[in-house]
Amino acid sequence: MGDFMVKKLSYISICIILIKLIMPVQAKAIAPIIVAGVAVEVGTIAFWAGAAASVGIGVAIGMEDDFFDDLVNWANETYNNASTAIKQSISASVDEIKNAYDTTRKYVIEWSSDVQQYLINAWNEYFGERISVDPISNEIVDGWSQFFPMSNGYVPDYFYNGGKYFALIESRLGINSDIRYTFYSFQAPPYVATTKNWTSRIGYEFTNPEWTGTHNLHYVTWYCTNACQPKAMGWSTVQQYISYAPGFSTYESKSGDIYDYDRLIFANFDIYLENDIRQSDVIATPFPANYPGSISIPAPRWIDQDDGVVIEKPKIGVIPGTAITGITYAPTLTIDDAISTPATPPTPGFPDIPDPGRPDLSIFTNKFPFSLPWDIYHIVGLLSVPPKTPDFRLNTHFGSDIPVQFSHKMDYLDPYMPFFRTLIFIVVCGGFIYRTRSLLGAGK
Amino acid sequence: MMIDAIINTVLQTLETIAAAVLMLLPDSPFQSITLDNLGVLSDVMGYINYFIPMAQILGFISLYISAIVIWYSVRWILRIARYID
């Protein structure tokens, strides 16, 4: 009966500890664990569950509180690493950019080659999960283009090439349709133009299609100028590869001629949770320039805000290139190295990632009998008082009139005792190591 | 997200229930013991610690026990999963 109760109390304790550990990060932290759990074997899940329980037990018997921090921060570490590294590549003051350039935001930022390569890797890692495909609809789970007015488009595939993502659009067209496509500007118009590759699928070819695009900074619209229509009744499919730049979600609140759009008309599925801790920290929507071999990234989302930061050694401005009808580029603006090494290091204006908080275990650690592990730790802690030099004193009388006085202070050992204490500690550690071998079954 | 909300609600409910139960329990009687209560024992422990590094040893023991417990837990789980014999 006693054993049963002890087991039951242990299970309850572990469950409560786990709940307390999980609560601060809530479901968002659980979700990736669940996803990972599906992807790996059940044994691995059990391993991590056991590890988490062991950490809980370890805390119970007196591990430092830092273990809590480690555990809680573990969930954020990946995000922090990516975003911190991106921050570190950013140094010039945003004021330099703002003062040097107009506010129309018709610019891109070209990264230096080393930063460029870094970002290719970092962005892939950082935004890779954003380029995910809805397993049900097989769509990239964000709205990124609009098919206007009559077609439903979806994105069955995309590929990566030289730092740019290209998406394959497929849409079904009805006959006798006014075939017109509009792609909005987070797919940069230059890309839409230069990667245009209209083809049709088996059996439903167009009749001499001639497409003409009209461009705007905001969007490009393609018309079939010769009344092309599918040959057959029913549906046809158009494929087109256009650039697909990840990480564009942070512009939904932008205003201005470039980014002013209503995301509602694009997205039927929003992958970005409102309280996504990463969302506040990402670089804004890429606005790719048609510039081979480069990654062009727009200003960080703070560029038009108070104290943001921009990218190290940036060249700000529109990359000079072949102009596309209807698009007016501002002249290129280059910021020299002096700006990249400012006299006073700029203070990054990035918001801190919210701390999910430390689990509140006080109610658990103070209530008897659950507090017993912490009580042991407390009592043991009482024994860990600082070393005190022995000072033996005796001051009394032998009989009635014979004084007995004795005083002996061992402070002459003070210079040597740290060494001997260390030696004793090492010996103790060695003893533990020796005993551990037999405890773990070594040599049997 | 709907699933997030459900999970969060379940977690919060569990936490609320656990907290309500724990609130009924008495406070630990051991937490009130402090160095001031110990009186002369505190001096004696100071003298002992002068010769023997009790603080370091006790700290090490706690970590050691943690490591052993973790090892046994992991070993137990791995055995269940038949990862090791």
Side-chain angles (χ1 to χ4, degrees):
Chain A
M1 183 64 181
D3 287 347
F4 177 74
M5 286 303 295
V6 169
K7 284 183 179 176
K8 207 161 189 180
L9 276 177
S10 301
Y11 293 149
I12 293 172
S13 304
I14 292 172
C15 287
I16 292 175
I17 290 173
L18 290 176
I19 291 170
K20 284 288 190 180
L21 291 174
I22 290 170
M23 269 307 296
V25 288
Q26 297 194 337
K28 186 173 294 302
I30 298 176
I33 294 175
I34 294 173
V35 172
V38 173
V40 300
E41 298 177 52
V42 175
T44 308
I45 302 174
F47 173 86
W48 284 109
S54 301
V55 170
I57 294 169
V59 171
I61 63 176
M63 279 185 173
E64 296 292 333
D65 283 348
D66 288 347
F67 276 80
F68 279 123
D69 293 333
D70 292 342
L71 195 64
V72 172
N73 289 335
W74 173 71
N76 292 327
E77 191 173 1
T78 302
Y79 308 136
N80 286 339
N81 286 345
S83 58
T84 299
I86 290 176
K87 291 174 195 173
Q88 288 172 348
S89 69
I90 294 173
S91 63
S93 165
V94 68
D95 289 334
E96 302 286 352
I97 310 299
K98 293 170 69 175
N99 295 337
Y101 200 58
D102 62 25
T103 57
T104 60
R105 285 174 286 155
K106 297 174 183 176
Y107 51 77
V108 295
I109 296 174
E110 183 191 10
W111 304 77
S112 57
S113 59
D114 51 341
V115 176
Q116 194 177 105
Q117 185 55 50
Y118 166 77
L119 285 174
I120 289 175
N121 301 330
W123 277 43
N124 281 340
E125 179 181 351
Y126 192 60
F127 294 115
E129 63 193 84
R130 295 168 183 267
I131 310 169
S132 54
V133 176
D134 184 345
I136 298 174
S137 66
N138 204 32
E139 293 177 338
I140 285 184
V141 285
D142 200 5
W144 58 284
S145 64
Q146 184 195 22
F147 294 81
F148 182 85
M150 72 323 179
S151 293
N152 294 318
Y154 67 102
V155 183
D157 195 12
Y158 58 91
F159 65 91
Y160 174 79
N161 183 15
K164 306 177 184 69
Y165 284 87
F166 295 85
L168 167 65
I169 302 172
E170 290 190 358
S171 62
R172 291 173 293 182
L173 304 176
I175 62 172
N176 300 318
S177 299
D178 175 13
I179 300 175
R180 186 171 63 179
Y181 288 81
T182 301
F183 301 98
Y184 281 79
S185 68
F186 41 86
Q187 311 303 328
Y191 270 173
V192 175
T194 54
T195 60
K196 181 172 70 72
N197 181 26
W198 293 101
T199 60
S200 60
R201 271 200 165 176
I202 302 169
Y204 302 105
E205 295 181 353
F206 292 104
T207 305
N208 300 319
E210 292 181 4
W211 298 92
T212 296
T214 59
H215 304 273
N216 186 290
L217 276 174
H218 192 120
Y219 59 87
V220 58
T221 300
W222 290 98
Y223 300 94
C224 186
T225 55
N226 59 346
C228 59
Q229 292 177 5
K231 284 180 177 177
M233 296 291 289
W235 298 91
S236 183
T237 303
V238 170
Q239 299 180 27
Q240 185 191 21
Y241 287 98
I242 67 170
S243 63
Y244 176 81
F248 49 74
S249 73
T250 55
Y251 269 107
E252 69 270 24
S253 61
K254 284 286 185 184
S255 61
D257 58 346
I258 297 180
Y259 306 110
D260 184 12
Y261 65 87
D262 180 0
R263 68 183 286 114
L264 292 178
I265 66 173
F266 300 117
N268 56 5
F269 190 95
D270 188 355
I271 63 171
Y272 300 106
L273 303 177
E274 290 300 319
N275 56 352
D276 187 339
I277 60 174
R278 294 159 292 167
Q279 185 171 340
S280 61
D281 209 24
V282 300
I283 303 285
T285 302
F287 184 59
N290 185 17
Y291 194 73
S294 73
I295 287 183
S296 298
I297 299 171
R301 64 199 299 251
W302 307 273
I303 187 71
D304 57 353
Q305 299 175 10
D306 48 1
D307 57 350
V309 290
V310 292
I311 298 91
E312 183 178 11
K313 295 182 179 179
K315 284 195 292 185
I316 307 299
V318 174
I319 304 299
T322 304
I324 297 196
T325 307
I327 300 177
T328 303
Y329 284 144
T332 298
L333 176 72
T334 301
I335 294 182
D336 59 24
D337 288 344
I339 294 176
S340 69
T341 55
T344 56
T347 302
F350 293 89
D352 293 330
I353 294 177
D355 182 5
R358 172 177 297 196
D360 180 16
L361 288 175
S362 60
I363 191 173
F364 186 63
T365 58
N366 294 330
K367 293 294 183 180
F368 188 84
F370 292 107
S371 63
L372 280 175
W374 284 271
D375 291 339
I376 295 172
Y377 181 62
H378 176 67
I379 297 299
V380 169
L382 292 178
L383 302 179
S384 304
V385 298
K388 191 173 181 180
T389 305
D391 185 5
F392 302 108
R393 293 174 184 274
L394 187 64
N395 186 7
T396 184
H397 290 80
F398 182 73
S400 59
D401 55 356
I402 302 176
V404 178
Q405 293 183 332
F406 174 77
S407 177
H408 183 72
K409 189 170 185 180
M410 302 178 71
D411 54 356
Y412 55 88
L413 291 176
D414 285 354
Y416 313 108
M417 285 317 295
F419 170 76
F420 284 107
R421 283 197 294 263
T422 304
L423 202 61
I424 290 172
F425 181 64
I426 292 173
V427 169
V428 169
C429 290
F432 272 103
I433 293 170
Y434 178 76
R435 293 300 304 167
T436 302
R437 291 183 71 250
S438 58
L439 186 64
L440 300 184
K444 287 184 179 177
Chain B
M1 295 281 291
M2 185 64 134
I3 296 176
D4 279 10
I6 293 173
I7 294 175
N8 288 336
T9 303
V10 170
L11 286 174
Q12 284 164 357
T13 304
L14 288 174
E15 191 202 23
T16 303
I17 294 172
V21 171
L22 290 175
M23 286 294 289
L24 298 175
L25 297 172
D27 288 336
S28 168
F30 302 102
Q31 297 290 334
S32 59
I33 302 175
T34 64
L35 275 178
D36 296 335
N37 305 133
L38 295 178
V40 69
L41 183 61
S42 174
D43 290 338
V44 173
M45 284 310 302
Y47 298 150
I48 294 175
N49 288 345
Y50 184 74
F51 297 101
I52 302 172
M54 292 296 290
Q56 288 89 341
I57 291 175
L58 290 173
F60 174 76
I61 288 175
S62 65
L63 282 176
Y64 177 81
I65 293 174
S66 303
I68 293 297
V69 170
I70 290 173
W71 157 247
Y72 273 100
S73 304
V74 171
R75 190 178 68 168
W76 174 67
I77 293 165
L78 289 179
R79 278 179 175 167
I80 291 176
R82 295 181 182 279
Y83 271 55
I84 62 174
D85 290 332

